[in-house]
Amino acid sequence: MEVNVLNIKGEDTGRKVTLNESIFGIEPNDHAIYLDVKQFMANQRQGTHKSKERSEISGSTRKLGRQKGGGGARRGDINSPVLVGGARVFGPKPRFKLNKKVKTLARKSALSYKAQENAIIIVEDFTFEAPKTKDFVSMVNNLKIADKKLLLVLPEANKNVYLSARNIERANVAIASALNTYNVLNAETLVVTENSLKAIENILS
């Protein structure tokens, strides 16, 4: 898939870039997206809603009663969930792990959705001489995305660009190495610089 490269004035530079099919053209995996977003949201919380499971409770591991013939449910040690004071079955956990391959698949799936929606704008690399909100607003207006929630992806941290976008409610700035599934899906339009595109391809390919 080829995309025209624009400058921050919204003008076509006459150049085109090809989006990597293995990143921007895959069949999206909704379950991988769900797991990655769920983990991201869980990590934003304080994480105090934790209950102890059977292996986390201190107590003897001696089997209290015989396996059969007791007339009730079978049970092992005193930490059994069927006993008062025992552990909780499938209690809440504030954090969970996710394999790197699943996280990578989720990011590729999110980027593929944006490519399918033609919601990716490629701009040539730029910087601002000083942090000015009006410069960022002018760029957004030139690209005709002022009414949309946008995510600007930079190849590396740029203080002037970040500070210029900070006061704009529907605009976020991220670096390519910190791009995550939630931020991609939460934005209506992705504005990606040329070097950011190369960085994304290096990270995810």
Side-chain angles (χ1 to χ4, degrees):
M1 179 180 177
E2 290 190 337
V3 181
N4 294 333
V5 178
L6 309 178
N7 58 27
I8 59 174
K9 295 180 180 179
E11 300 167 343
D12 192 342
T13 61
R15 291 180 287 112
K16 292 186 177 183
V17 293
T18 302
L19 299 181
N20 192 327
E21 285 293 317
S22 65
I23 298 173
F24 296 91
I26 69 167
E27 180 66 31
N29 188 309
D30 290 338
H31 188 62
I33 289 175
Y34 160 75
L35 290 175
D36 198 16
V37 171
K38 182 180 178 182
Q39 186 195 47
F40 176 82
M41 298 298 288
N43 289 339
Q44 304 308 301
R45 301 188 182 99
Q46 192 170 12
T48 54
H49 57 289
K50 173 73 172 68
S51 66
K52 289 188 176 181
E53 294 191 351
R54 190 168 187 159
S55 62
E56 299 169 318
I57 289 184
S58 60
S60 173
T61 58
R62 178 176 69 91
K63 188 171 173 65
L64 298 178
R66 53 191 293 186
Q67 177 78 355
K68 293 176 178 292
R74 57 190 172 182
R75 63 189 188 275
D77 54 42
I78 201 167
N79 305 325
S80 172
V82 301
L83 295 177
V84 175
R88 181 169 176 186
V89 181
F90 303 128
K93 289 185 177 181
R95 307 279 181 261
F96 68 94
K97 291 183 179 180
L98 206 58
N99 292 337
K100 288 182 180 178
K101 287 184 178 180
V102 177
K103 293 177 75 69
T104 299
L105 176 59
R107 278 181 286 176
K108 287 182 179 180
S109 298
L111 291 169
S112 293
Y113 269 128
K114 291 302 175 187
Q116 289 174 10
E117 297 165 2
N118 293 319
I120 298 177
I121 297 175
I122 306 296
V123 297
E124 62 182 7
D125 295 289
F126 70 94
T127 187
F128 295 145
E129 294 181 0
K132 288 186 178 180
T133 302
K134 69 178 182 180
D135 288 346
F136 193 89
V137 171
S138 176
M139 180 190 75
V140 170
N141 288 333
N142 292 335
L143 295 173
K144 300 178 181 178
I145 51 173
D147 59 336
K148 295 183 179 181
K149 186 185 290 186
L150 67 96
L151 176 65
L152 173 62
V153 185
L154 300 174
E156 56 190 18
N158 187 313
K159 188 174 181 180
N160 287 348
V161 175
Y162 171 74
L163 292 176
S164 299
R166 186 171 59 174
N167 289 335
I168 301 175
E169 184 180 2
R170 294 166 65 83
N172 286 306
V173 177
I175 59 175
S177 59
L179 198 63
N180 64 68
T181 306
Y182 177 83
N183 286 343
V184 172
L185 293 175
N186 191 42
E188 293 178 80
T189 302
L190 291 184
V191 180
V192 184
T193 65
E194 288 183 275
N195 281 336
S196 299
L197 185 62
K198 294 176 183 176
I200 291 170
E201 290 178 351
N202 289 335
I203 292 167
L204 298 181
S205 60

